[in-house]
Amino acid sequence: MVQLLRDCDAEIFQEEDPTLVNYKRLYSETVLRTVFDIAKKVQEVLKDSEDGLIVLSGCGSSGRLALLLANSFNKLLKGLHRSPSYTYIISGGDKALVTSQEAPEDSPSLGVAELEKVSEGKKKVVYFGISCGLSAPFVAGQLDYCLNNLDIFVPVLVGFNPVSMARQERIEGWHSSFFQVAERMQKLQEAQKAFVLNPAVGPEGICGSSRMKGGSATKILLETLFLVAHKADSNVDISEKCLLEILRTYERAHKVTYSQSKKIAALVKQAGTSLQKKGHLYILGWGTLGLMAIMDAVECIPTYGTDYRDVRGFISTGYSGMQNKEGDLTSLGPEFAISHEDFVKSVLPSMTETDTVVFNFTLDDDLASVEKLTLQVKEKTSNLQAISHATAGQYLPATIKKLFPSIISITWPILFLEYEGAFIQNFQRELSTKWVLNTVTTGAHVLKGKVFRNYMVDFRVSNTKLFTRAVTVLQRLSGQSQTRCEETLLRSIYGTEVLSDEIRDAETSKHVEEASTKEQVVSTAIVSLLRNCAVHEARARLETYPTIRAAVEASLNAIGRKRSVINIEMRSTDT
Ligand code: S6P
């Protein structure tokens, strides 16, 4: 699995090959040109921090990355004694940074309201709408708003599907589809009034799991773009060489990270064993690596239908380290507890030997606190692992080394790139940690039987995109018509054998509302469809198998089942 994901991630850096597929890639001339053009627009805003603003916005993982990026570049500005120019928007608000809030993704009007709020009084705004699959209505609403106010806004759509593969269905309660908005943007690109930045990075290892490659590519692409804009801002001559140099550092980070494949595989196995035994996976991070930990853990909830307690991330200094707009959210409930202090108080006392704990830190972090927490965890479980980042010349103290049975230890070369060098190094460490954690949590859930082939088969149907994905997965696995698959999904959602006219006539948002609180909706529908049985029988059958994958496999192989799988066109980043 680690090798498969390594190769899959390597596709991000694959060069354009017109003899294979005619897609623009990260290193394609047109993509690099677009990055330059957008960087110039950003640079103009940076010159005028009073009236200008750079907005990064997205849903789910894309929104969490928006926060990470906005914070990084405000920090970079601060170090130069300049005021912050970046801000982020995440659908569902700050709550969505640390918990799974999928529903607000469906609302263009919520998107507009948020954008109006952050950009009030600004005269020049470069807006980045991140939607890896070119699908989120929340982002579509904001892009449309920008297109209607081009005197102030320069909209940029960031994603990893060609525009022709943007979501085509009309957005419920709205006038357009995502595709129509993307097309309008594309038409304005030549006049540099709007931009679509959408290199192909190849399909996701787990179909539709855009938190993985989509998220990594977002980070690489936008960090590069902003670094270039800042360089230009300091009157340094920007050449293509400089842009390529930055991109190559990320490519090297991929090699360096996956050179630890064996150790990563051991960690996947360990984490998988914990989840199989109904134990937990806790990921503790220092500084922004804590944010990477939280991001990874939260994404397991919608992707694999896990409970928030199964996989959890914690950041050393809690909300102050996260630097979110709404401040400390701890009082909202137990799932909002994210600091190491919270971990010690509310998780550690009940931790057992079946749990796995992963420590993520750099040798520049407070190593005394790493040592102290490790000793505390060791009293509860021997299943602990570390991912440690050093710069050439730094060595992990023996006192810490001996506490871990195995350490994924990565040493990064010193980058002689003046002021930005330290930032680039941090970006690499974050990305490297993201790659390892994505692999660990994905692999662990595969081992737990939450994936069949490369399909998620137990995700939560908590927004329109996921409803459509569920129907597509059913079609793929059963070979049945879209109507039949949709009906089976509805029977599973409503727990009924007979679909009333009221259910049949309801909008998708109603189905999503009903489904989002229910468990095993997709897996039940799969078994019901494959076995041609009632949904209550399918639910009962599911119970008799050790994993969902085993239930799907057995249903596919059931005697008398006609084996046919229809070929449904899948979008590269999304289903
Ligand atoms: C995907 C993740 C989701 C997505 C979100 C936005 O692995 O679980 O939270 O990030 O749905 O997707 P997109 O395509 O608009 O960036």
Side-chain angles (χ1 to χ4, degrees), residues 391-432:
T391 306
Q394 278 183 323
Y395 296 95
L396 189 64
T399 43
I400 294 193
K401 211 173 180 173
K402 67 168 198 257
L403 294 176
F404 293 93
S406 155
I407 299 182
I408 298 172
S409 174
I410 303 180
T411 303
W412 300 94
I414 302 169
L415 286 176
F416 297 101
L417 280 165
E418 303 140 30
Y419 176 60
E420 301 86 34
F423 285 86
I424 296 182
Q425 194 161 65
N426 203 40
F427 296 158
Q428 290 185 342
R429 292 166 176 190
E430 287 167 357
L431 182 62
S432 173

Side-chain angles (χ1 to χ4, degrees), residues 8 20 23 28 49 71 108 192 194 295 464 480:
C8 190
L20 283 174
Y23 286 142
S28 296
S49 60
N71 286 352
Q192 303 218 343
M295 269 160 71
T464 313
Q480 301 282 350

Side-chain angles (χ1 to χ4, degrees), residues 59-62 102 105 130-133 135-136 209-211 302-303 465:
C59 311
S61 306
S62 300
E102 312 306 314
E105 176 169 333
I130 311 163
S131 182
C132 297
S135 72
S209 188
S210 58
R211 74 192 190 102
T303 315
K465 174 176 80 174

Side-chain angles (χ1 to χ4, degrees), residues 226-238:
F226 296 135
L227 281 166
V228 166
H230 281 267
K231 267 204 169 290
D233 188 41
S234 50
N235 290 326
V236 176
D237 187 28
I238 294 298

Side-chain angles (χ1 to χ4, degrees), residues 98-100 275 279-283 294 296-302 304-314 332-338 346-347 445 460 519:
V98 296
T99 58
S100 161
L275 295 188
H280 308 89
L281 171 62
Y282 299 113
I283 314 172
I294 292 171
D296 214 284
V298 176
E299 288 152 4
C300 294
I301 301 169
Y304 300 113
T306 52
D307 186 273
Y308 84 89
R309 282 166 284 233
D310 294 347
V311 183
R312 287 188 76 172
F314 294 90
L332 294 182
E335 68 266 53
F336 290 90
I338 57 160
S346 60
V347 175
H445 282 98
R460 213 171 267 271
E519 286 181 3

